Amino acid sequence: MNTLVSPENTWVLMTVMLLAVAVSVYLEQKYAWASRISGAVIALIIALVLVNTNIIPPHAELYDDIVWGYVVPIAIPLLLLQTNILKIWRETGRLLVIFLIGAAGTIAGALLGCVLLGSAIDGLPKVAAMMTGSYIGGGVNFTALADAFKVSGTLVSSTIVADNLNMAIYFLILLGIAGNSFFRSMYTHPLIDDVEKNGASDEGKTLAATYWGRKDISLKDIAMCVTYAVVVVTASKFIGATLGGLIPADANWFTKMCNTFLGSQYVWITMISMIFATFFEKQASSMNGAQEIGTFFIYMFFFVIGVPASIMEILTNAPLLFVFCLIMVVVNMLFCLIGGRLLKFDLEDIIIASNANIGGPTTAAGMAISQGWNKLVGPAMLVGTLGYVIGTYLGIIVGSILGA
């Protein structure tokens, strides 16, 4: 794809990305409509527009190596500094229940999609297996299942493109549900109420502007926050790589599961961060600026999510694959919404659990942060990481049932 900015022009791409993030932050703090959407989603929409007007490329080193490789891992420890595990274990339990219900919905959606579209898409059972793993776990599960079922490169690429556009639409729908009066009347929503109550301002400020008001921060705070995050990520990568090398991945199902779980850097980033926030709460609470820095990084992450969603590629190469992914997402959401309604769970729990299914731990945590639901950040990371463990196995089961 020929674009105005080439994939190799990292500095210009970074300028465009940061301008988009800055505009998003400005808009959400200036205008009420933008505050309701959130700056994170505005950044995603800007990226979607830029890539589909051929201004920026859908793939570049900046997105994959810099943002995914460095920015996202560093953001997570900063955003978990306020997550005392002793205070959130009950919320984690509730989120886990909805997450598992959503996983069942993902499987049901894959089976339904194959029944409806099986004759129209070649290799759909293999796609169903990959997307089951992805929509319960994440990209690592998608890759593992693509290899396990020997899926062709063309089919993999088309599925990725369809998935990326589907994800962008999905996030907008989830945020629409959070602000919709019908859904608010059907479910309790204490975190939404708390944000709106505490964010109310007599000065005409938006909720975002009030929430992100100017705070006391020093050079020492910045130094401590960034250094802490880098140390946590470095230690987590070392622990994950060491255990991943020690635990055999192909001996049996149990060791493979342990290898996947204990070898993930995100498991250890979450674990170390939550241990520090729980047992060193005084020190964690004194590190001013961590939430602001981490949230700024997460906004970059949302921009990158919107980049690979090429609408033209969908229209020319994978329209039915997009429909298939959409069916899986819709069924997942229905399972979460109906299950949550029957169990009398909060709307915020349902939204974040579904996001942890479809988008994974980082997008679920990012959405919780962007909406001010900070109590759900740690639980979202935990249940989303669990998806990495079970996603591949459930994908294999679905693929086997469908004859992939």
Side-chain angles (χ1 to χ4, degrees), residues 61-329:
E61 181 181 356
L62 172 67
Y63 316 144
D64 301 329
D65 295 343
I66 298 176
V67 175
W68 273 104
Y70 294 93
V71 171
V72 173
I74 289 175
I76 294 170
L78 295 174
L79 296 169
L80 291 178
L81 271 175
Q82 300 181 18
T83 308
N84 185 324
I85 195 170
L86 298 178
K87 295 180 179 179
I88 65 169
W89 70 270
R90 289 183 180 177
E91 285 88 347
T92 304
R94 292 167 65 89
L95 215 63
L96 176 60
V97 172
I98 297 295
F99 179 85
L100 294 176
I101 292 172
T106 295
I107 294 172
L111 298 176
L112 176 63
C114 282
V115 170
L116 297 176
L117 301 172
S119 61
I121 304 175
D122 292 333
L124 189 57
K126 296 182 178 181
V127 174
M130 291 189 298
M131 294 314 301
T132 296
S134 180
Y135 283 172
I136 293 174
V140 62
N141 306 95
F142 180 96
T143 303
L145 289 160
D147 181 64
F149 288 103
K150 308 301 179 187
V151 186
S152 69
T154 301
L155 187 57
V156 169
S157 299
S158 298
T159 304
I160 290 173
V161 171
D163 172 46
N164 283 324
L165 181 57
N166 185 66
M167 291 280 285
I169 295 172
Y170 166 73
F171 291 138
L172 295 176
I173 292 173
L174 279 186
L175 288 170
I177 289 174
N180 185 271
S181 58
F182 170 77
F183 286 100
R184 290 194 183 190
S185 68
M186 297 291 290
Y187 301 89
T188 55
H189 38 81
L191 297 182
I192 294 174
D193 291 341
D194 183 61
V195 170
E196 292 183 348
K197 178 181 178 181
N198 294 329
S201 173
D202 296 331
E203 301 174 9
K205 293 182 179 179
T206 67
L207 295 176
T210 303
Y211 183 82
W212 294 110
R214 193 179 302 277
K215 299 174 183 175
D216 181 32
I217 183 172
S218 68
L219 177 60
K220 185 184 76 171
D221 290 322
I222 298 173
M224 293 298 103
C225 289
V226 176
T227 302
Y228 161 78
V230 171
V231 169
V232 169
V233 174
T234 302
S236 300
K237 290 178 74 68
F238 175 78
I239 295 171
T242 301
L243 293 177
L246 292 175
I247 302 172
D250 52 3
N252 54 61
W253 69 269
F254 180 74
T255 59
K256 187 173 183 180
M257 180 179 70
C258 291
N259 178 276
T260 301
F261 185 77
L262 298 177
S264 170
Q265 66 168 335
Y266 289 110
V267 169
W268 296 106
I269 289 174
T270 303
M271 185 69 67
I272 294 172
S273 300
M274 294 185 72
I275 288 173
F276 182 80
T278 300
F279 297 103
F280 299 91
E281 185 176 14
K282 181 178 179 180
Q283 290 82 353
S285 61
S286 68
M287 295 169 66
N288 296 335
Q291 194 175 11
E292 286 77 7
I293 297 170
T295 302
F296 180 68
F297 284 176
I298 287 294
Y299 279 29
M300 294 186 213
F301 167 66
F302 269 85
F303 179 89
V304 169
I305 288 177
V307 166
S310 172
I311 295 174
M312 285 307 299
E313 284 192 48
I314 289 289
L315 295 176
T316 56
N317 298 328
L320 289 180
L321 286 174
F322 171 75
V323 174
F324 176 77
C325 292
L326 185 62
I327 290 172
M328 291 184 66
V329 165

